[in-house]
Amino acid sequence: MMLRTFLPKPEQRFAAAGAALGALVSAAWLATETVFAKQSHWDVPAMLAAGAMPFLLGGSFYRWRYSRRLEHELHAARRAERRLRHEVHRDKLTGLANRAALEADIRQALCAEGAAFERNALLLLDLDRFKAINDTMGHDAGDRLLALFGARLRRAFSGEATIYRLGGDEFVLTAAGASSQAEAETLAMRVKALFEAPFDLGDARVASGCSIGIAFVERSDTATGEVLKRADLALYEAKAVSGNSHAFHSETLTHAARQRAEAERDVARGLEDGEFFLEFLPIGGTASGSIRAFEALLRWRHPLRGVISAKTIVEPSEQSTSALVLGYWTLQAACAEAARWASPTGLTVAPFAPQLKDRDFVAQVGQCLAEASLPPGRLTIEITADFSTEDLALISENLQGLQALGVRIALGGGAGSSLPLNMIAELQPDQVTIDLTAIRATHGSERSVALLACLIKTGHVLRLPIAVRGIEKESEMDCAQASGAVEVRGPWISPALTDVAALLEAGEAADLRRSA
């Protein structure tokens, strides 16, 4: 302990031991010379050698221990480097290679010269219904599903393909030698076959599927991002089809993505320049015979295309963040306008589909109502888009949150057919809106009236109040009233108006008649 106190470093202690050994050797040698050689004195070289021995051995021991320590530290550093490289390039949940490993591998493949370069297929995989499983069964179940799927991929493609997990529920499969569409499609079919058996998550067994976007690593690529971007566009196309499907990238998809990006920039510019405005479509009550509400319709005074409607706006920007910004602007402006109407005149707003899947949507509606001092009961949120099953949990949560605020809920368009009956029964919407324009386009004018009557009566059986939009003729109006619809709107009653003050000043008892 005393030695460690004064000589804390191992090299110092080894040097001291060497010096002590050198002194001992020198003393033994001198003693031997004295006893056996019977020398009474020593010459100068002998004295110098005896005196230098502790320093020589001490220094030698120090250097030996120091080099050993350096060698040990070098080996430890190399082991740590290998361990760190493994951790950096390995996904902890599944044990598969991660995005960093994918980027390194593709970078190495792109550096190959001449004939050494291989055009390999890259399959971008995205689990179907993963979000719904996470929301309903918890993140532990989601992690278990990812680990099980990763294990199936590893077993199925061991030795012939490399599997990566990018993050979330996205995986990548790359296969050397799969340079044609036929070979890549074979890989995709084998991946989809992995979902034939359900996954055992412990508390439950769940069935899932997989959407696959396929692209190829090309000689012209300069970075991993270029390949992944093409695969992502193909994945987007595959997701538009029913689950467990795949799609190949094409220049058409790139062109469409470029158009969406341009449209998004155009929408942002239009918002900044104040080119958007609202029109209001009168909604009449069949029992009172008067205007009871207005539907807010978004319009865009485009500098090149003139005034265009929301349908033209939504199509390019549906999947972009602009849809959320534009939808919030519509809701805010509509609530501010409705606050100036005499109570109880109502307001109907049909939000964009991305808004209904936004976790902040309920809070945004509440904020708009509070800013405008508009009672929640005067606002009706009309759901017109159709949805996939993986979105239903979040949409149901948002709709229930709106009902808790006191906002009315109406189902119309594709929503009535895409939402399951048990969800509709649980939600108990305030009304269901029948789009007569869509019925007329499918079945013709003559049959549309008969079908309208049947649909309204079906709503009565289900105890759902029915509203009708798209009234263009007096016969359609008579059918809606006779069959028991609660609300009507359309060109026969009134076109959309930018200023509703004159119509409101006409009095509550204004007849429902064509005012166009």
Side-chain angles (χ1 to χ4, degrees):
M1 292 298 294
M2 291 292 292
L3 189 60
R4 286 180 177 273
T5 302
F6 291 104
L7 303 174
K9 294 183 178 181
E11 293 83 356
Q12 295 173 337
R13 294 195 292 274
F14 266 78
L21 181 61
L24 182 61
V25 170
S26 298
W29 177 61
L30 293 176
T32 301
E33 288 292 320
T34 302
V35 173
F36 295 101
K38 297 181 179 180
Q39 293 183 2
S40 58
H41 63 279
W42 300 277
D43 56 11
V44 174
M47 291 292 292
L48 292 175
M53 187 64 69
F55 296 100
L56 291 174
L57 285 181
S60 299
F61 272 53
Y62 181 88
R63 292 292 300 173
W64 177 78
R65 176 57 188 172
Y66 184 72
S67 62
R68 289 282 295 174
R69 184 174 70 86
L70 288 181
E71 184 178 355
H72 175 74
E73 290 179 353
L74 181 60
H75 286 307
R78 287 174 177 171
R79 287 195 300 270
E81 183 182 359
R82 287 194 296 269
R83 185 173 63 252
L84 182 61
R85 187 184 297 114
H86 181 272
E87 292 177 355
V88 167
H89 289 84
R90 194 64 49 180
D91 176 60
K92 293 183 179 180
L93 177 63
T94 62
L96 299 172
N98 60 12
R99 187 187 184 102
L102 174 65
E103 291 179 350
D105 291 346
I106 292 184
R107 188 164 51 246
Q108 182 178 359
L110 293 177
C111 290
E113 297 292 340
F117 175 80
E118 290 186 286
R119 180 180 186 263
N120 296 332
L122 183 145
L123 280 65
L124 179 59
L125 321 175
D126 186 273
L127 289 177
D128 297 332
R129 301 195 318 106
F130 177 74
K131 189 172 181 298
I133 293 172
N134 249 355
D135 291 342
T136 57
M137 302 180 65
H139 290 280
D140 289 341
D143 289 346
R144 174 70 174 162
L145 175 60
L146 294 174
L148 290 174
F149 178 53
R152 288 188 185 184
L153 285 172
R154 189 188 296 109
R155 288 194 300 269
F157 296 97
S158 177
E160 60 177 308
T162 307
I163 314 297
Y164 308 84
R165 182 188 173 216
L166 294 191
D169 60 335
E170 285 192 337
F171 294 78
V172 163
L173 183 149
T174 61
S179 59
S180 68
Q181 284 203 2
E183 291 168 325
E185 189 159 17
T186 300
L187 292 175
M189 298 302 293
R190 289 175 58 189
V191 171
K192 291 189 286 186
L194 299 177
F195 293 92
E196 293 176 354
F199 293 87
D200 187 0
L201 303 185
D203 296 335
R205 291 167 64 85
V206 300
S208 185
C210 183
S211 298
I212 306 172
I214 307 173
F216 291 91
V217 180
E218 306 285 1
R219 166 56 70 190
S220 58
D221 292 323
T222 59
T224 307
E226 296 179 8
V227 188
L228 287 178
K229 183 177 181 180
R230 294 198 301 271
D232 194 56
L233 291 175
L235 177 63
Y236 176 80
E237 186 74 6
K239 280 181 162 294
V241 190
S242 57
N244 227 25
S245 58
H246 68 275
F248 286 88
H249 172 263
S250 66
E251 287 305 315
T252 303
L253 297 180
T254 300
H255 179 68
R258 191 177 298 115
Q259 284 187 320
R260 285 195 297 269
E262 291 175 357
E264 186 172 352
R265 290 192 294 268
D266 205 17
V267 168
R269 181 201 53 75
L271 276 170
E272 186 176 350
D273 294 345
E275 295 172 358
F276 292 95
F277 66 99
L278 298 179
E279 289 185 343
F280 295 92
L281 183 66
I283 301 174
T286 55
S288 63
S290 62
I291 302 300
R292 57 186 289 180
F294 293 89
E295 178 186 3
L297 302 175
L298 181 62
R299 300 289 186 256
W300 187 359
R301 193 175 287 104
H302 197 278
L304 300 178
R305 302 167 64 185
V307 176
I308 55 180
S309 67
K311 290 184 178 179
T312 310
I313 301 168
V314 171
E315 185 176 357
S317 62
E318 181 75 18
Q319 300 299 325
S320 69
T321 55
S322 294
L324 297 175
V325 177
L326 198 56
Y328 179 68
W329 181 91
T330 301
L331 187 64
Q332 190 177 41
C335 287
E337 178 65 23
R340 293 193 283 267
W341 304 338
S343 181
T345 306
L347 168 69
T348 295
V349 177
F352 294 150
Q355 289 181 271
L356 297 169
K357 295 180 281 186
D358 183 10
R359 294 191 177 276
D360 295 329
F361 181 57
V362 176
Q364 289 178 352
V365 172
Q367 182 178 353
C368 290
L369 291 171
E371 290 176 354
S373 300
L374 183 69
R378 289 176 59 186
L379 174 63
T380 298
I381 295 295
E382 188 168 68
I383 317 302
T384 58
D386 53 351
F387 302 99
S388 61
T389 53
E390 62 183 12
D391 296 324
L392 293 182
L394 181 55
I395 292 171
S396 176
E397 180 182 336
N398 278 341
L399 294 182
Q400 290 174 0
L402 292 175
Q403 287 180 323
L405 286 179
V407 174
R408 299 176 75 250
I409 301 296
L411 300 182
S417 59
S418 63
L419 297 179
L421 289 177
N422 62 335
M423 181 176 169
I424 295 177
E426 180 183 350
L427 184 63
Q428 283 295 303
D430 295 277
Q431 69 183 43
V432 172
T433 303
I434 297 173
D435 190 352
L436 188 54
T437 304
I439 298 175
R440 192 186 301 111
T442 305
H443 300 283
S445 299
E446 295 182 2
R447 296 184 61 190
S448 62
V449 175
L451 286 172
L452 175 62
C454 291
L455 290 172
I456 295 175
K457 290 176 182 178
T458 302
H460 291 165
V461 173
L462 298 175
R463 297 181 180 179
L464 293 171
I466 302 297
V468 182
R469 67 180 304 154
I471 300 288
E472 295 181 355
K473 302 177 181 178
E474 186 174 2
S475 59
E476 295 170 349
M477 180 65 189
D478 292 339
C479 175
Q481 287 181 313
S483 301
V486 296
E487 286 183 356
V488 287
R489 68 190 102 157
W492 189 85
I493 299 167
S494 173
L497 308 170
T498 53
D499 186 6
V500 302
L503 188 60
L504 290 174
E505 290 173 0
E508 294 183 1
D511 293 334
L512 291 181
R513 61 184 182 274
R514 182 175 181 178
S515 59

